[in-house]
Amino acid sequence: MPIIPARLEHSADGVPYSSTFDDIYHSADGALGQAQHVFLAGNALPERWQGREHFVILETGFGLGLNFLATWAAWRADPQRCKRLHFVSCELHPFSTEDLARVHARWPQLAAQADALRAQWPALTPGLHRLHLDNDQVTLTLYFGDAREGLAQLLARADAFYLDGFSPARNPELWSARIFHLLARLAAPGATLATWSVAGEVREGLRRAGFEVRKAAGFGGKRQMLCGILANSETRSQTDEQALPARGHALIVGAGLAGCSMAERLAARGWTIELIDQAAGPANGASGNLAGVLRPLPSLDDNRMSRLTRAGTLHGWAHIARLRARGLAVQADACGVLHLARDGAQAAKMQAVVERLGLPASHLSHVDADAAARIAGCTVAAGGWWFAGSGWVQPPSLCAANLAASGQSLHTHFGRKLAQLERQGGLWHAYDDQHRLIAAAPVVILAAGVGVLELDTGMRLPVVSARGQVSLLPAASASPPRVVVCRGGYVSPEIDGLRCAGATFDVDDSEPALRARDHADNLGKLDAMLPGFTHGLDATALRGRVGFRPASPDRLPMIGALPADGTAAPRAELAGLARQAGLHVLSGYGARGLVWTTLAAESLASALCAEPLPLERDLWEALDPGRFLLRPPRPGRTAE
């Protein structure tokens, strides 16, 4: 369902108030004091996170974000704080950035944290959103939508719970038996909880879900509050904590978008990276194009492809912003993307999608042909979708920025072709074609594009090689179209005197040389989008580039641990599949490498470090490489 933002209202005594639930957002005695007494002290924080690699807090209602800001401030002030703090929260009606700014002004002592939060505040779209704060040491994962759905979809283990919804009488759904049992399922050993509510139905519901609860002294005018701990559960031991793979050593095969993104995400967590590629440098394969498109693919039923491409697009642009904030140059422009309709029937469907999803206009809207022409600055064939916050990215610049961000943690092995992987003594050893050792590490991530097919470990994956030819057209500075335009193919704005048009998608075509007929095909798609645009262009005289992209049968990428041999039992479940120790894959990106790369890397890094995932459970399972063992692809079905 569309996200309906909260409205900033106030009660008669000036406390932020919700007319939807007829309740106030925090105690009239003070929000900050309530956060510190009820939620931090009620969960024995900061003491419980001290000395830990990471600590996970899960909150049932984000509201104004003051519990998060107070927790973040307490973490910063603690010299013995955990190395990484994860805060996960659900919110059905999130506030706009402007309303948050107005209410946060009341707490100047939290200004630094509040400013940083609002600077990364996500688009108000359904699903999970991940914010990286405080040099990647604090991670905020927000679920926008119904908490009953969000908690069921979370992949996390929480050490502490903040139960902070509107009162049980005003918002009973957030204090239901279903919510309490979902919290118990998400609880780590020794997980605690705290809430200001001592209602009888709350105490009994928590007990039935497996928590031991007790009353404690309340805050301000409220005499009592509630504290609890997961019953029959021992506190996580120091040995358990040391066993968490929060910092490690990984060997990444492939220095394209997938491999470079993965290197940066693991380096941000303190891992040591061995990056292997047979080329002399990064982005020499399918990731070497002048420009690619970073935008979502909506659908009427908001299916998994729709949700994944939306999440990948939003996460990708946020990552580019963070890299730029660190002074790293990424050549990209969120100039907007027009996706034109093929015909009248598709135009009607596209408009229906916009109305059904109800997404912010900054993310998705519908425009007619006249409006599309004004946006593009030239004649267009039709109207369609307008993605105002999307645009183009130069993949080599993104790869370079990710490697630069990896810093001293990264060791590159360029010009070394991986020929064999062997596991010995708990380590994967990578050898070249002369059987010389390149590097060794306990974790291997195969991110070599179509090169995964050359390795024995990757042969079970139904990856196909899809040849793509891009045409490079001469372009004057600031000439139209001023935005990316798509329909069957795409064309970029002018970039360094050129524009990209393409691309072809030919499965199992191994020809590396440019072909005039493929340039002609790209020009045909371009002329169908922008009538008359190709006048005077000669397909036989164009420059271009050929790349080979790994594609999967269902068009979704393959992310995660590879199944072990002999696990293809037809009725097995993904959770029950045996996995090859320490062997993971990032592949099957097809023509959407830019859309998948950043979110895929963050997801796999989170899984490797036993952290909350940035993807919902059903989406993560949809990307599992083992899905094809359980549900073999139909013969002849390809990725596009």
Side-chain angles (χ1 to χ4, degrees):
M1 297 294 293
I3 296 299
I4 301 174
R7 291 186 300 148
L8 183 57
E9 306 168 278
H10 295 87
S11 64
D13 52 359
V15 178
Y17 165 83
S18 169
S19 57
T20 302
F21 293 96
D22 190 23
D23 202 358
I24 55 177
Y25 275 93
H26 60 75
S27 168
D29 295 301
L32 190 54
Q34 177 178 292
Q36 293 167 338
H37 179 89
V38 175
F39 298 108
L40 280 157
N43 280 287
L45 299 175
E47 294 82 6
R48 287 183 57 233
W49 67 40
Q50 291 176 349
R52 296 276 298 270
E53 273 289 340
H54 71 244
F55 193 87
V56 180
I57 297 170
L58 198 160
E59 179 185 51
T60 53
F62 190 75
L64 303 169
L66 292 176
N67 289 337
F68 168 67
L69 295 174
T71 301
W72 183 7
W75 177 87
R76 284 183 62 88
D78 183 6
Q80 300 181 65
R81 60 182 177 263
C82 55
K83 292 176 181 176
R84 291 175 63 85
L85 176 66
H86 283 270
F87 197 101
V88 184
S89 188
C90 300
E91 182 53 57
L92 179 59
H93 298 298
F95 280 99
S96 68
T97 309
E98 295 75 18
D99 280 347
L100 287 177
R102 281 191 281 272
V103 75
H104 288 166
R106 296 184 174 197
W107 295 277
Q109 63 270 52
L110 298 176
Q113 286 80 29
D115 290 348
L117 169 64
R118 294 194 308 275
Q120 291 195 38
W121 191 244
L124 303 189
T125 60
L128 284 173
H129 302 265
R130 173 151 290 183
L131 285 67
H132 300 275
L133 302 157
D134 220 327
N135 297 316
D136 262 301
Q137 296 177 89
V138 175
T139 302
L140 173 61
T141 304
L142 291 168
Y143 180 82
F144 287 166
D146 192 316
R148 292 170 293 183
E149 299 173 7
L151 294 174
Q153 287 277 28
L154 281 179
L155 288 164
R157 281 288 177 265
D159 300 295
F161 295 101
Y162 293 1
L163 276 59
D164 192 25
F166 292 114
S167 73
R170 307 293 187 189
N171 187 19
E173 292 83 3
L174 205 54
W175 303 88
S176 65
R178 173 174 170 76
I179 290 288
F180 297 148
H181 281 84
L182 287 171
L183 295 178
R185 182 181 65 81
L186 292 165
T192 61
L193 65 84
T195 178
W196 49 265
S197 176
V198 292
E201 63 268 29
V202 172
R203 301 197 310 273
E204 182 61 22
L206 287 169
R207 288 193 186 102
R208 288 178 178 273
F211 290 95
E212 295 176 354
V213 296
R214 61 179 176 83
K215 293 180 181 178
F219 171 73
K222 190 164 177 44
R223 189 168 61 88
Q224 294 178 317
M225 57 174 276
L226 206 64
C227 297
I229 189 170
L230 188 66
N232 303 318
S233 172
E234 297 181 1
T235 302
R236 191 198 302 269
S237 69
Q238 186 65 27
T239 302
D240 292 335
E241 178 65 21
Q242 291 171 348
L244 288 173
R247 294 165 186 263
H249 187 191
L251 192 158
I252 299 175
V253 183
L257 282 170
C260 294
S261 296
M262 193 70 223
E264 188 275 334
R265 285 292 78 209
L266 287 178
R269 290 163 166 82
W271 283 50
T272 299
I273 310 300
E274 312 288 343
L275 182 63
I276 300 173
D277 198 292
Q278 63 182 332
N284 273 267
S287 299
N289 286 339
L290 174 67
V293 187
L294 178 51
R295 61 97 176 195
L297 184 65
S299 68
L300 192 61
D301 59 352
D302 204 23
N303 57 32
R304 288 175 180 173
M305 177 67 77
S306 174
R307 292 162 56 205
L308 278 164
T309 55
R310 180 171 66 239
T313 297
L314 294 171
H315 197 273
W317 285 112
H319 179 64
I320 289 170
R322 292 195 307 275
L323 290 172
R324 286 173 165 172
R326 297 176 59 178
L328 299 170
V330 180
Q331 195 167 0
D333 187 7
C335 57
V337 177
L338 276 172
H339 184 135
L340 306 179
R342 291 188 305 269
D343 50 36
Q346 190 186 36
K349 181 179 179 181
M350 294 170 89
Q351 186 163 4
V353 168
V354 172
E355 294 170 356
R356 174 72 179 272
L357 297 183
L359 298 170
S362 60
H363 182 75
L364 172 66
S365 59
H366 185 269
V367 294
D368 60 22
D370 290 339
R374 288 193 296 272
I375 291 169
C378 59
T379 302
V380 299
W385 285 327
W386 169 232
F387 303 99
S390 295
W392 61 267
V393 180
Q394 187 182 81
S397 74
L398 179 56
C399 290
N402 277 325
L403 295 188
S406 301
Q408 301 281 327
S409 299
L410 176 66
H411 305 136
T412 58
H413 305 272
F414 291 123
R416 305 291 299 276
K417 180 176 174 58
L418 176 64
Q420 188 175 6
L421 279 172
E422 293 181 2
R423 186 165 176 84
Q424 306 168 13
L427 297 177
W428 285 97
H429 295 72
Y431 296 96
D432 64 15
D433 50 7
Q434 302 297 314
H435 204 69
R436 295 172 298 192
L437 181 67
I438 304 172
V443 173
V444 172
I445 298 160
L446 304 177
V450 295
V452 71
L453 296 170
E454 300 176 13
L455 299 170
D456 290 342
T457 51
M459 288 299 289
R460 288 182 307 280
L461 293 175
V463 175
V464 297
S465 173
R467 179 185 183 276
Q469 180 170 316
V470 173
S471 302
L472 297 176
L473 315 180
S477 177
S479 59
R482 297 184 291 259
V483 301
V484 178
V485 184
C486 304
R487 190 179 82 169
Y490 78 96
V491 62
S492 75
E494 177 269 333
I495 306 167
D496 298 333
L498 296 169
R499 70 175 81 251
C500 291
T504 60
F505 194 94
D506 298 309
V507 173
D508 294 331
D509 183 340
S510 59
E511 175 55 61
L514 291 169
R515 293 192 295 231
R517 73 170 185 266
D518 288 344
H519 281 321
D521 183 50
N522 287 335
L523 292 181
K525 294 174 184 175
L526 177 54
D527 200 56
M529 290 187 285
L530 309 177
F533 192 86
T534 62
H535 179 72
L537 292 174
D538 182 359
T540 64
L542 291 179
R543 296 164 55 193
R545 193 175 187 280
V546 173
F548 297 91
R549 300 161 293 187
S552 73
D554 61 3
R555 301 189 299 154
L556 295 177
M558 306 173 197
I559 305 168
L562 280 171
D565 291 331
T567 61
R571 294 188 180 180
E573 294 183 358
L574 287 171
L577 284 178
R579 307 288 174 160
Q580 297 196 52
L583 187 59
H584 305 263
V585 66
L586 291 169
S587 189
Y589 287 13
R592 297 189 177 92
L594 283 167
V595 175
W596 306 130
T597 185
T598 302
L599 184 58
E602 174 64 17
S603 299
L604 183 52
S606 298
L608 286 170
C609 295
E611 299 172 352
L613 262 67
L615 280 175
E616 292 95 321
R617 178 185 299 272
D618 66 325
L619 298 183
W620 178 243
E621 291 176 351
L623 307 181
D624 193 315
R627 68 190 187 269
F628 296 111
L629 295 180
L630 307 181
R631 192 173 55 255
R634 294 193 295 273
R637 190 176 180 192
T638 57
E640 291 292 339

